[in-house]
């Protein structure tokens, strides 16, 4: 499996707090069948100012070196979880932020209560400049919980959609789980990732998730979500999926 969302560079956000914790997280991911991980520390203006820099690259190199020293056969790739902000499109062009593995794909998140109009504006402007958004955990956004049709529009526009393991396994609450399952049923999800922050409450282990997806959505769909599309993101290739199902605009709230 390939996990495209993990907070694993130590000491720079609310994820791993030490190199030892990072090693434990990578080891736990490997034991559950994950062989490739994108390191997606928060880049969150005003909170976690982790923009592209030599210092950040050095921290990433140190993590890779330690994983090699520990002989854990997991490949790491650069990325960030970027909180949407006004100048993001320009900062993608000037390489002030990291895309995923140097491709056109970048992982973007929004405040949970962000207005859809602002999300659309930022996504459009990034896309116009040739970058491909992968939207992190839309099932956690209040606007999506109220109107999942928003994700149908994003999907149709060619944006990537990533939901969280924790939402499906009830880490965050009923609304997140309901929205995540609904999006999966409507074929509006490209990949599922751990969004791991530690080895306990938000862990990188994918064993339970894989069993859950195999059982509830079938092995073919699970493979697409955990292997095929994450691989395509790493390689900068077009994403694949089943024909997306539109929500019934008049009764969508009841269909979920
Ligand atoms: Fe995250």
């Amino acid at each position: 499996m390939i996990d495209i969302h993990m907070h694993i560079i130590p000491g720079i956000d609310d994820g791993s707090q030490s190199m030892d914790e990072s090693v434990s997280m990578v080891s736990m991911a490997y034991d559950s069948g994950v062989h490739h991980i994108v390191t997606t520390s928060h880049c969150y203006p005003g909170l976690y100012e982790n923009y592209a820099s030599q210092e950040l690259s050095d921290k990433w190199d140190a993590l890779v070196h330690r994983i090699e020293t520990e002989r854990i056969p997991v490949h790491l790739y650069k990325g960030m979880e970027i909180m949407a902000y006004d100048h993001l499109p320009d900062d993608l062009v000037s390489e002030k932020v990291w895309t995923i593995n140097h491709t056109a794909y970048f992982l973007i998140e929004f405040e949970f209560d962000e207005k859809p109009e602002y999300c659309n504006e930022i996504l459009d402007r990034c896309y116009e400049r040739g970058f491909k958004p992968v939207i992190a955990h839309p099932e956690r956004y209040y606007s999506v919980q109220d109107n999942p049709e928003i994700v149908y529009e994003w999907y149709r526009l060619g944006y990537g959609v990533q939901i969280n393991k924790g939402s499906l396994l009830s880490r965050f609450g009923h609304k997140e789980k309901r929205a995540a399952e609904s999006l999966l049923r409507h074929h509006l999800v490209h990949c599922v990732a751990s969004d791991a922050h530690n080895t306990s409450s938000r862990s990188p282990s994918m064993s339970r998730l894989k069993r859950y997806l195999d059982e509830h959505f079938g092995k073919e769909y699970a493979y697409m979500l955990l292997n095929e599309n994450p691989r395509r993101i790493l390689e900068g290739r077009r994403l694949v999926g089943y024909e997306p199902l539109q929500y019934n605009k008049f009764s969508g709230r009841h269909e979920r």
Side-chain angles (χ1 to χ4, degrees):
M1 283 176 276
I2 299 166
D3 193 342
I4 66 153
H5 188 162
M6 199 183 291
H7 298 263
I8 203 167
I9 300 178
I12 64 169
D13 67 1
D14 57 344
S16 168
Q17 295 304 304
S18 69
M19 191 61 90
D20 286 346
E21 187 175 12
S22 298
V23 170
S24 299
M25 288 172 75
V26 175
S27 181
M28 185 180 265
Y30 179 72
D31 288 344
S32 73
V34 174
H35 293 176
H36 304 271
I37 294 171
V38 183
T39 66
T40 53
S41 304
H42 285 293
C43 175
Y44 191 135
L47 189 58
Y48 303 112
E49 304 272 352
N50 295 315
Y51 297 101
S53 66
Q54 189 58 51
E55 189 187 351
L56 186 62
S57 276
D58 290 347
K59 287 178 179 170
W60 190 85
D61 288 343
L63 174 61
V64 171
H65 180 71
R66 177 68 188 272
I67 298 304
E68 285 170 359
T69 306
E70 298 284 338
R71 296 183 184 280
I72 307 171
V74 170
H75 295 273
L76 301 186
Y77 305 84
K78 281 182 180 170
M80 287 178 174
E81 181 178 23
I82 307 166
M83 174 57 75
Y85 59 95
D86 292 349
H87 300 297
L88 174 58
D90 296 330
D91 287 353
L92 281 162
V93 172
S94 64
E95 301 183 8
K96 191 176 174 185
V97 291
W98 286 351
T99 60
I100 297 175
N101 193 30
H102 312 288
T103 67
Y105 288 109
F106 64 101
L107 187 66
I108 184 170
E109 69 167 337
F110 300 98
E111 299 286 0
F112 293 162
D113 61 353
E114 190 58 81
K115 291 187 177 66
E117 295 75 19
Y118 182 74
C119 301
N120 290 334
E121 183 206 321
I122 295 292
L123 291 166
D124 287 352
R125 287 170 51 214
C126 292
Y127 199 73
E128 274 171 15
R129 285 166 169 77
F131 294 92
K132 298 176 184 171
V134 176
I135 300 162
H137 44 62
E139 76 280 7
R140 304 189 71 189
Y141 305 148
Y142 305 149
S143 58
V144 169
Q145 291 169 3
D146 287 341
N147 177 24
E149 183 76 8
I150 294 167
V151 181
Y152 179 83
E153 297 304 325
W154 288 342
Y155 192 101
R156 296 294 286 189
L157 286 167
Y159 305 155
V161 177
Q162 175 258 307
I163 63 172
N164 274 5
K165 171 186 85 157
S167 300
L168 292 168
L169 302 183
S170 299
R171 162 73 175 69
F172 299 117
H174 181 64
K175 283 188 171 179
E176 284 84 347
K177 182 175 173 65
R178 191 175 65 168
E181 289 181 336
S182 171
L183 293 174
L184 278 173
R185 279 199 306 275
H186 285 76
H187 303 156
L188 297 174
V189 181
H190 292 105
C191 54
V192 187
S194 73
D195 195 2
H197 281 64
N198 50 50
T199 54
S200 51
S201 58
R202 300 182 73 179
S203 94
S205 175
M206 297 293 255
S207 315
R208 245 184 89 207
L209 175 73
K210 185 175 181 312
R211 277 201 303 276
Y212 165 88
L213 289 173
D214 283 349
E215 200 173 300
H216 294 270
F217 293 92
K219 290 193 175 203
E220 188 183 318
Y221 198 1
Y223 184 84
M224 192 174 78
L225 297 164
L226 300 173
N227 299 73
E228 181 67 28
N229 275 326
R231 163 73 62 195
R232 286 168 175 264
I233 289 171
L234 281 184
E235 295 174 352
R237 294 158 61 212
R238 190 178 56 81
L239 301 177
V240 293
Y242 302 119
E243 184 63 25
L245 305 176
Q246 193 164 12
Y247 284 86
N248 183 324
K249 282 178 181 160
F250 302 102
S251 61
R253 295 176 79 91
H254 303 293
E255 281 189 352
R256 284 178 285 140

